[in-house]
Coordinates of all heavy atoms in Angstrom, one line a residue:
G1102 N 60.2 3.1 -30.4 CA 60.0 2.7 -31.8 C 60.9 3.3 -32.6 O 60.8 3.2 -34.0
R1103 N 62.0 3.9 -32.3 CA 63.1 4.5 -33.1 C 64.1 3.5 -33.4 O 64.5 2.8 -32.5 CB 63.6 5.8 -32.4 CG 62.8 6.9 -32.2 CD 63.5 8.0 -31.7 NE 62.5 9.2 -31.4 CZ 62.2 9.7 -30.2 NH1 62.9 9.2 -29.2 NH2 61.4 10.7 -30.1
G1104 N 64.6 3.5 -34.7 CA 65.6 2.7 -35.1 C 67.0 2.9 -34.2 O 67.3 3.9 -34.1
V1105 N 67.5 1.6 -33.7 CA 68.8 1.9 -33.0 C 69.7 0.6 -33.5 O 69.1 -0.4 -34.1 CB 68.6 1.8 -31.5 CG1 67.9 3.0 -30.8 CG2 67.9 0.5 -31.0
P1106 N 71.0 0.7 -33.3 CA 71.9 -0.3 -33.6 C 71.4 -1.6 -32.9 O 71.1 -1.5 -31.7 CB 73.2 0.1 -33.3 CG 73.2 1.6 -33.4 CD 71.7 1.9 -32.9
P1107 N 71.4 -2.8 -33.4 CA 71.1 -4.1 -32.8 C 71.9 -4.3 -31.5 O 71.3 -4.9 -30.7 CB 71.4 -5.1 -33.9 CG 71.4 -4.5 -35.1 CD 71.8 -3.0 -35.0
G1108 N 73.1 -3.9 -31.4 CA 73.8 -4.1 -30.1 C 73.6 -3.0 -29.1 O 74.1 -3.0 -28.0
N1109 N 72.7 -2.0 -29.4 CA 72.6 -0.9 -28.5 C 71.7 -1.4 -27.2 O 70.8 -2.2 -27.4 CB 71.6 0.1 -29.2 CG 71.5 1.5 -28.3 OD1 70.8 1.5 -27.4 ND2 72.1 2.5 -28.7
Q1110 N 72.0 -1.0 -26.0 CA 71.5 -1.4 -24.9 C 69.9 -1.1 -24.7 O 69.3 -1.6 -24.0 CB 72.1 -1.0 -23.6 CG 72.2 0.5 -23.4 CD 72.9 1.0 -22.2 OE1 73.7 0.3 -21.8 NE2 72.7 2.1 -21.8
D1111 N 69.6 -0.1 -25.6 CA 68.1 0.3 -25.5 C 67.2 -0.4 -26.6 O 66.1 -0.2 -26.6 CB 68.0 1.8 -25.9 CG 68.7 2.7 -24.9 OD1 68.7 2.3 -23.6 OD2 69.1 3.8 -25.1
A1112 N 67.8 -1.4 -27.3 CA 67.1 -2.1 -28.3 C 66.2 -3.0 -27.6 O 66.6 -3.8 -26.7 CB 68.1 -2.8 -29.3
V1113 N 64.9 -3.1 -28.0 CA 63.9 -3.9 -27.5 C 63.1 -4.8 -28.5 O 62.7 -5.9 -28.1 CB 62.8 -3.3 -26.7 CG1 63.6 -2.7 -25.4 CG2 62.1 -2.2 -27.4
T1114 N 63.1 -4.4 -29.7 CA 62.6 -5.2 -30.8 C 63.7 -5.4 -31.9 O 64.5 -4.5 -32.1 CB 61.3 -4.6 -31.5 OG1 61.6 -3.5 -32.2 CG2 60.2 -4.5 -30.5
F1115 N 63.7 -6.6 -32.5 CA 64.6 -6.9 -33.6 C 64.0 -7.6 -34.7 O 63.0 -8.3 -34.6 CB 65.7 -7.9 -33.0 CG 66.3 -7.3 -31.8 CD1 65.7 -7.5 -30.5 CD2 67.5 -6.7 -31.8 CE1 66.4 -6.9 -29.4 CE2 68.2 -6.2 -30.7 CZ 67.6 -6.3 -29.5

Side-chain angles (χ1 to χ4, degrees):
R1103 294 189 184 116
V1105 295
N1109 187 293
Q1110 66 183 19
D1111 295 329
V1113 294
T1114 67
F1115 303 86

